[in-house]
Amino acid sequence: MKILVQNCHSHLFLKTLSEWTPSPIEAKAFSTSERALAYCAEHRIPAVQIVLKFDYDHYDISLPITEECEQASAQNALRN
């Protein structure tokens, strides 16, 4: 499992502070979700969620950590 940061609007993964990628393989991986959260808070990265990325995509878990992503997640839940 990899712990990644993803923009909840573009669905791109954080690669560096100034670079995003569609590829989870190229994304910056964190050792814990707490470190991912601290990194986003320290650098004030907006509209992100933490993704627990597994070998099989259908097991992935997305955890909204910003207000923008919480709202997007709630809207998606209402549509489904």
Side-chain angles (χ1 to χ4, degrees):
M1 176 191 72
K2 290 177 74 173
I3 300 169
L4 309 175
V5 171
Q6 182 183 47
N7 181 286
C8 61
H9 298 301
S10 68
H11 301 286
L12 296 175
F13 295 97
L14 180 71
K15 187 172 181 178
T16 68
L17 269 180
S18 60
E19 194 174 5
W20 296 81
T21 178
S23 171
I25 294 168
E26 295 177 7
K28 176 178 180 63
F30 294 87
S31 56
T32 66
S33 56
E34 291 86 1
R35 288 186 187 224
L37 179 60
Y39 185 89
C40 292
E42 177 184 342
H43 297 288
R44 297 183 178 160
I45 304 173
V48 289
Q49 58 191 6
I50 292 174
V51 176
L52 307 179
K53 186 82 174 132
F54 293 90
D55 290 336
Y56 298 103
D57 291 344
H58 62 277
Y59 292 120
D60 293 353
I61 300 170
S62 298
L63 307 165
I65 60 171
T66 62
E67 187 174 325
E68 302 97 330
C69 289
E70 287 177 7
Q71 291 172 354
S73 179
Q75 289 173 351
N76 286 337
L78 290 174
R79 284 186 226 149
N80 295 329

